[in-house]
Amino acid sequence: GNSTPFMLSCGFGCPHPGYSTSQYWLDRGVNASAIHMPVWKDESDMHPTQRYEVITKNCSGNWTSEEVHAIRATYYAMVAEADGFVGQILDEIANSSLIDNTVVFFWSDHGDMTMDHKQFYKETTLEGSARVPLIIAGPGLKKGATQTRATSLIDLFPTIMDLAHAKHP
């Protein structure tokens, strides 16, 4: 086989606004009874910044619990769909000669409010939008290690270069 180093970058459109997925993922990726429903402040009691975000994202007005539940269920199904795609890639790596020298990074560029604080989408500094997964696994890395402090995605490129023993541009 070829021993030339390479990088494979995969981007997935889910989960992402549009909130669209197939019934397959809704049936397999969501425990509808476990979906936590957010509790909202009255808009008049919200901080002005939060009220502004609610209005500019077209989230003001009356939302039924069924609508909010559907938004959250669809988002969780899209997460399951992305997980399915990642699983297929990891299965192929595991079944190849690449498994012993492959480092896998998984991250997201933003979260989603899924109607927490009466908002969807991103574009806020609240946890639902700002907190994202960051998983790094591979040879020489400690298995199962976790980090709870804040990190920045700006450091990913130099980290990838270091793990690949590549020169920084």
Side-chain angles (χ1 to χ4, degrees), residues 25 35 44 69 94 107 111 128 130 143 152 165:
W25 292 109
I35 294 175
S44 62
H69 190 273
W107 73 87
K143 292 182 182 192
S152 172
H165 307 288

Side-chain angles (χ1 to χ4, degrees), residues 21-43:
T21 190
S22 70
Q23 193 63 45
Y24 176 90
W25 292 109
L26 283 165
D27 292 342
R28 286 162 186 78
V30 179
N31 178 352
S33 64
I35 294 175
H36 168 76
M37 295 295 288
V39 177
W40 299 328
K41 292 181 181 179
D42 186 89
E43 287 182 30

Side-chain angles (χ1 to χ4, degrees), residues 1-13:
N2 190 336
S3 62
T4 304
F6 70 95
M7 177 179 171
L8 173 66
S9 176
C10 301
F12 304 105

Side-chain angles (χ1 to χ4, degrees), residues 59-120:
C59 296
S60 59
N62 297 320
W63 290 84
T64 67
S65 59
E66 292 80 15
E67 290 170 323
V68 174
H69 190 273
I71 288 168
R72 293 171 82 87
T74 302
Y75 180 81
Y76 299 143
M78 290 187 302
V79 170
E81 186 175 2
D83 186 61
F85 292 142
V86 171
Q88 290 176 358
I89 294 167
L90 294 177
D91 286 347
E92 290 300 317
I93 293 169
N95 293 324
S96 75
S97 61
L98 301 173
I99 189 65
D100 294 327
N101 62 356
T102 298
V103 177
V104 175
F105 286 75
F106 178 86
W107 73 87
S108 176
D109 60 336
H110 61 81
D112 193 290
M113 295 304 295
T114 61
M115 296 309 287
D116 282 339
H117 301 279
K118 202 172 184 180
Q119 297 181 46
F120 42 70

Side-chain angles (χ1 to χ4, degrees), residues 43 46-61 63 113 115-130:
E43 287 182 30
M46 290 179 181
H47 185 278
T49 301
Q50 184 181 353
R51 191 168 49 250
Y52 173 81
E53 290 173 339
V54 168
I55 292 167
T56 58
K57 292 180 182 181
N58 295 319
C59 296
S60 59
W63 290 84
M113 295 304 295
M115 296 309 287
D116 282 339
H117 301 279
K118 202 172 184 180
Q119 297 181 46
F120 42 70
Y121 308 139
K122 52 182 181 177
E123 300 161 348
T124 182
T125 57
L126 295 169
E127 185 171 349
S129 178

